[in-house]
Amino acid sequence: FRCAELFPASGLRLSVGVCKPVAVTVSDYRATVDYNDHFETPLRAYTDVFPVIETLIQQKCKGKRVIIYDPFYCTGRAASLLRQCLQSNNEKLAEKVDIQHEKRDFYRDLRENTVPKFDILVTNPPYSGDHKERCLEFAVNSSRPFFLLMPNYIATKE
C-alpha cells in the first residue's frame, strides 16, 4: 500500500502498509487458487480506513447492530484484525458491530442469491483473474458503502 489522499479537504490519508503471504495449500480450498491471491491485509490498512468506517457505523447503527462483510476468507484472519482495529480505536462502537467473514464460496453466493446480509463491505479481494472487477461490480451494485483494500499497482495493472 502506498500513501494516497482519500479526502484531501479533511487531510485523511492512507499510509504505507505491507501485505505478507500466508501459508495456504490448494487442499484448503474447493476451487483452484493462485499464490498471489493469498496476501492478507495488515492491521495497518484497517487502521488507515478506520475514521471513515467509524463514521459509517455511527450513521448506520441507530439502535441496531451494523454488519461488516468480508467475502474473501483466505485464513480467516481478516475478521480478527478488523475486530482488533475496531476495539482498539473505539471499544464502545465495536460492541455494536458484527463481522460476517466465513469460509464460503462468494461466487456461489452471488449465483444463488445467498450473499449474507451486511451494511458495509470491507475486503481485500484476490488479485488474479477477474476477481477485482467482479468484486467491484458487486460492491457498486450493492448500493452499500464499501472498501476494496488493494495496493496501488492494481489500478495500473493490465
Side-chain angles (χ1 to χ4, degrees):
F1 296 92
R2 291 188 51 155
C3 194
E5 289 190 24
L6 199 78
F7 298 105
S10 70
L12 182 62
R13 298 179 69 80
L14 295 176
S15 59
V16 177
V18 177
C19 290
K20 297 182 178 171
V22 295
V24 294
T25 63
V26 173
S27 63
D28 292 338
Y29 299 90
R30 293 186 190 119
T32 303
V33 297
D34 185 306
Y35 169 81
N36 291 317
D37 289 343
H38 296 285
F39 287 76
E40 291 195 310
T41 306
L43 177 61
R44 180 62 188 257
Y46 296 116
T47 303
D48 287 343
V49 296
F50 174 77
V52 183
I53 292 174
E54 179 181 40
T55 300
L56 290 169
I57 293 169
Q58 289 169 340
Q59 290 173 352
K60 291 190 163 292
C61 91
K62 307 213 190 305
K64 71 172 188 103
R65 298 189 66 74
V66 173
I67 301 169
I68 296 177
Y69 176 47
D70 183 346
F72 297 103
Y73 191 77
C74 201
T75 66
R77 188 168 175 250
S80 61
L81 290 176
L82 183 53
R83 173 70 55 204
Q84 180 182 344
C85 174
L86 293 170
Q87 289 174 334
S88 65
N89 285 288
N90 189 331
E91 194 170 328
K92 196 169 191 103
L93 193 67
E95 294 171 2
K96 300 174 183 180
V97 175
D98 293 322
I99 299 172
Q100 173 64 40
H101 185 61
E102 299 172 354
K103 194 172 188 178
R104 299 169 57 120
D105 183 335
F106 174 58
Y107 299 113
R108 179 184 301 157
D109 284 344
L110 286 177
R111 280 191 311 275
E112 297 175 359
N113 200 26
T114 57
V115 172
K117 288 176 42 177
F118 70 96
D119 299 296
I120 303 168
L121 175 72
V122 179
T123 192
N124 178 354
Y127 303 159
S128 70
D130 62 353
H131 293 293
K132 301 171 299 300
E133 294 83 0
R134 291 170 73 183
C135 186
L136 179 61
E137 182 178 348
F138 167 76
V140 170
N141 290 336
S142 77
S143 300
R144 295 179 188 103
F146 64 89
F147 297 82
L148 303 184
L149 306 174
M150 296 183 274
N152 68 336
Y153 79 84
I154 292 298
T156 59
K157 191 175 177 183
E158 300 261 342

